[in-house]
Amino acid sequence: MGSPTRRRALLAAVATAGLTAALVPLTSAQAATTGLLRVDQLGYAPGDTKIAYLMTGAAVTKETYKVLNSSGRTVASGTVGSASRGKWNSAYPDVYPIDFSAVRTAGSYHLVTSGAAAATSPTFKVENASALYGTLVADGVNFYRNQRDGSDVIPGALNRKPSHLNDKSATVYKLPNFDTSSGNGDIIKDASLTRIGGPVDVSGGWFDAGDYLKFTFTTAYADDLLYASARALGSSAPASLPAEAKYGATWLNKMWNPSTKTLYLQVGIGSGNASGSFLGDHDLWRLPQADDSDSASADKYAAKNRPVFEAAAPGARIDPDIVGRVAAAFALAAQADAASGDTAGATTELADATSLYAQANTSPGSTLESAAPNAYYPESIWHDAMELGATEIALAQQALGRPRATYLPYLTKAATWAKDYIASDSGKDTLNLYDVSALAHADLVTAIAAAGSPSGLAVAKSDLVADLKAQVTSAARTSAADIFRAGGDYTNFDVDAHSFGFISTEALYRKASADTRYAAFAGAQRDWLLGGNAWGTSFMVGAGTTFPDCTGSQIPNLSGSTNGSAPIDTGSVVNGPNGTSNFSGGLGSLQSGMKKCEHDSFTAFTGHGGEYVDDVRSWQSSEQALDMTGSAVLAGALQSAASAGAAALPGRRR
């Protein structure tokens, strides 16, 4: 339990077999069939295309709807169209869209339908885009604050305490041998770990997900997103956002030793060894502050004395994917320092970025070392990360006023890697933990323009914009065909991260091209993520009226969140729906120490191969993580910045 969602290559499938929920019929005298209304529970911007969905137990005709404001006054009404978007499941064979885009005045509203399928929607708001998307940013940053490790924790609603202070003097161990012959590929075959160095200070940082491991790979990606978000918002960013980005960079600086050219890969182990002589982090369910005083012999590596592993031997070449991401984080920190007038800090961060970037092994093997074991986060491409690293270094050098001859080589490298990505990797994925090309492309467009569009680069602006467009277009095509206009694959892992990634990519593409045709698509992805889906839930904790309460995370579970009791881990984004096959076999029993927390009635809405369960045991759908929440923060920041830019255009009302 508590393992990151993407560890699908390792973990045995479990399921929700036998978990059912009775459908409660409506009590209206006119009701002849079950009816449910799905809306974006956070809300809509005034100019958004606003679509609600009426799910019914049978076909209906002449159904009417009203939109009521907070005073109960009808502000819009009409007849629900007779054209269903299709069958969701046997209980809901028809789904009817209701377009209420005419409602543009700021305020709180809800919809009601009358007729054969009377229903009432949750309340939602209409508000300006900056306020709407600003909620995603502020709440998402709150999750990072809750994920802090070390001495500088923020108590917050979860009553966090300092934790893993022993990480300040940690031992470095040789990468263990993992048993890849069984389904549990993170089981260690060795009788013990082999010490090769230390002590090193790896205190601080963020927990990766529902467990207490800390990964350089995921932290770097998350920090890239936070810094990019703060940069996009500028002076309108909440103070917590740049502060949290800096917190992440501070830990990454501990993981890179430029004097010995050593990059540390992670802190902690997920599982113990086959004989059971020592355990791993996932074998324990506890609050993090308990680990430093855990004297159990079997917990020596899991809790009190957590091991540190190297990405490569000191001075050796390092796999390019992790190098590019971490170098980008350092360079983004340098850009932030330069913007704030901290030239000394920016210079130091830039030096860290360039020294690490020089260590990249650009002829890696087929397996990229992202974690121990690497199958925790199985990465297969790297040109995008190297493009991002070089691009952010060039932008940092430009921000510091370095001469053209200094940053032009990095622009050249970035363009070369972009060309390789477009030729070899484009179309395999979109913006998420495993593909950073969208951010890299958009920032490379900016860096090239700032350099005066030098000739001779491997790619031109048009190439980069075309690839951004291709990523958006592909998802928009999927969205148009989906009943609830989802652009992502909700039969697989990480659909929420991908969906927020689509929102970000649309904003990046719009800025680079001035093409606004996909703005409605981006809005539809936000709607789906925040309640306008078959399950009728937001996938971000605290957003809307129905949201994940039983997340697969130890801290909120042990801090009191059991079926609606406070506190909640506000801002965290869960994996969301997943393929039904991933739930085959049941959810299993509660782990020792785990508090029961479940809202399993969502399985009544399983359909089109997708299933969602809000249950502390459900790592398949209810586990939150740094990368998924970071995707929401970036989406909110970029869309907010885009709306502010549009409002400032000549002829637009401010």
Side-chain angles (χ1 to χ4, degrees):
M1 297 299 298
S3 56
T5 310
R6 271 73 65 220
R7 297 173 190 174
R8 56 187 177 273
L10 305 174
L11 302 172
V14 294
T16 55
L19 299 176
T20 59
L23 300 178
V24 180
L26 297 170
T27 57
S28 167
Q30 292 181 306
T33 184
T34 302
L36 295 170
L37 277 167
R38 304 310 199 198
V39 296
D40 183 332
Q41 295 175 22
L42 189 62
Y44 307 83
D48 279 353
T49 299
K50 304 176 185 69
I51 306 291
Y53 300 95
L54 175 64
M55 301 172 65
T56 64
V60 296
T61 58
K62 299 181 180 180
E63 194 82 6
T64 61
Y65 75 89
K66 294 180 180 180
V67 181
L68 292 84
N69 64 16
S70 58
S71 300
R73 184 172 65 86
T74 298
V75 298
S77 62
T79 301
V80 177
S82 59
S84 168
R85 283 189 61 83
K87 176 181 178 179
W88 180 252
N89 61 19
S90 59
Y92 297 96
D94 290 285
V95 179
Y96 299 92
I98 300 173
D99 189 335
F100 60 102
S101 301
V103 178
R104 301 174 62 92
T105 303
S108 294
Y109 302 90
H110 69 276
L111 277 83
V112 296
T113 56
S114 301
T120 301
S121 80
T123 300
F124 57 86
K125 291 182 178 180
V126 173
E127 58 183 350
N128 69 67
S130 293
L132 179 67
Y133 283 107
T135 299
L136 301 183
V137 175
D139 286 358
V141 173
N142 180 73
F143 168 70
Y144 281 89
R145 289 157 64 94
N146 288 343
Q147 291 293 101
R148 283 191 180 192
D149 194 20
S151 59
D152 191 16
V153 299
I154 299 172
L158 297 180
N159 194 27
R160 287 297 321 283
K161 306 289 186 184
S163 55
H164 298 122
L165 303 184
N166 290 344
D167 284 355
K168 193 171 182 64
S169 183
T171 300
V172 182
Y173 291 89
K174 179 182 177 182
L175 282 172
N177 295 298
F178 294 99
D179 182 4
T180 59
S181 64
S182 66
N184 296 322
D186 57 349
I187 299 297
I188 295 171
K189 295 195 292 185
D190 309 317
S192 63
L193 300 181
T194 302
R195 182 185 185 279
I196 59 173
V200 292
D201 180 3
V202 292
S203 59
W206 299 306
F207 304 132
D208 178 69
D211 55 28
Y212 302 137
L213 301 181
K214 297 185 293 192
F215 295 94
T216 302
F217 180 77
T218 55
T219 296
Y221 174 74
D223 215 35
D224 291 341
L225 300 188
L226 293 187
Y227 270 118
S229 299
R231 183 182 61 190
L233 291 171
S235 60
S236 64
S240 59
L241 175 55
E244 207 57 28
K246 189 174 185 63
Y247 186 82
T250 298
W251 185 75
L252 288 173
N253 273 303
K254 294 181 178 182
M255 301 302 280
W256 169 239
N257 185 334
S259 62
T260 62
K261 297 183 179 178
T262 305
L263 180 68
Y264 297 109
L265 189 67
Q266 76 186 53
V267 180
I269 52 173
S271 293
N273 63 353
S275 68
S277 63
F278 63 86
L279 302 176
D281 181 278
H282 303 159
D283 298 310
L284 308 175
W285 192 268
R286 75 290 187 198
L287 288 171
Q289 60 264 28
D291 281 1
D292 280 344
S293 58
D294 186 341
S295 60
S297 176
D299 299 346
K300 58 185 176 182
Y301 301 133
K304 189 173 184 178
N305 300 299
R306 308 197 302 168
V308 180
F309 302 111
E310 298 170 342
R317 297 290 182 177
I318 307 167
D319 278 356
D321 193 60
I322 194 167
V323 164
R325 294 157 183 269
V326 179
F330 290 152
L332 282 158
Q335 294 170 41
D337 287 341
S340 68
D342 183 4
T343 302
T347 301
T348 298
E349 295 291 352
L350 180 57
D352 285 337
T354 55
S355 63
L356 175 57
Y357 197 83
Q359 289 301 115
N361 175 15
T362 54
S363 297
S366 58
T367 299
L368 297 173
E369 200 73 62
S370 57
N374 68 286
Y376 274 172
Y377 294 104
E379 177 63 291
S380 60
I381 62 173
W382 55 270
H383 299 107
D384 57 319
M386 288 296 284
E387 176 193 354
L388 181 66
T391 297
E392 301 306 341
I393 288 172
L395 287 170
Q397 291 171 328
Q398 291 172 346
L400 283 166
R402 300 289 172 83
R404 193 168 185 265
T406 302
Y407 60 76
L408 189 56
Y410 285 97
L411 281 184
T412 301
K413 292 176 182 178
T416 298
W417 299 131
K419 179 181 179 181
D420 288 345
Y421 172 87
I422 293 170
S424 304
D425 303 322
S426 185
K428 296 178 181 178
D429 209 344
T430 51
L431 183 59
N432 76 111
L433 176 62
Y434 300 106
D435 189 328
V436 295
S437 63
L439 183 58
H441 289 355
D443 282 1
L444 184 53
V445 167
T446 300
I448 290 173
S453 301
S455 61
L457 295 179
V459 293
K461 173 183 176 180
S462 58
D463 300 313
L464 300 168
V465 171
D467 198 60
L468 285 170
K469 182 179 181 180
Q471 293 187 31
V472 176
T473 301
S474 176
R477 190 178 301 116
T478 299
S479 171
D482 185 76
I483 290 178
F484 293 92
R485 292 185 171 83
D489 180 3
Y490 43 77
T491 68
N492 207 344
F493 287 86
D494 300 345
V495 63
D496 291 351
H498 278 91
S499 298
F500 277 119
F502 297 147
I503 298 172
S504 293
T505 304
E506 187 279 328
L508 294 169
Y509 169 69
R510 192 192 327 171
K511 180 180 179 182
S513 67
D515 183 356
T516 61
R517 78 181 78 177
Y518 298 105
F521 156 74
Q525 302 319 292
R526 186 200 68 229
D527 298 345
W528 183 86
L529 285 157
L530 300 177
N533 53 64
W535 296 272
T537 181
S538 164
F539 298 120
M540 185 178 204
V541 176
T545 53
T546 302
F547 49 79
D549 176 57
C550 300
T551 58
S553 178
Q554 297 171 82
I555 296 173
N557 178 255
L558 296 177
S559 298
S561 183
T562 53
N563 287 13
S565 64
I568 59 171
D569 199 359
T570 300
S572 58
V573 173
V574 300
N575 186 65
N578 210 328
T580 55
S581 63
N582 290 304
F583 297 88
S584 175
L587 290 178
S589 59
L590 293 172
Q591 188 169 346
S592 178
M594 184 183 288
K595 291 183 180 180
K596 182 178 180 180
C597 189
E598 57 185 46
H599 294 295
D600 297 333
S601 60
F602 288 109
T603 55
F605 308 114
T606 297
H608 286 239
E611 185 166 344
Y612 173 72
V613 180
D614 183 21
D615 192 304
V616 67
R617 299 167 294 171
S618 177
W619 53 266
Q620 305 94 321
S621 62
S622 296
E623 187 177 77
Q624 70 269 65
L626 296 178
D627 62 290
M628 293 185 283
T629 305
S631 294
V633 174
L634 183 65
L638 292 176
Q639 288 290 333
S640 182
S643 67
L649 291 174
R652 295 293 185 98
R653 297 181 65 182
R654 294 177 183 267

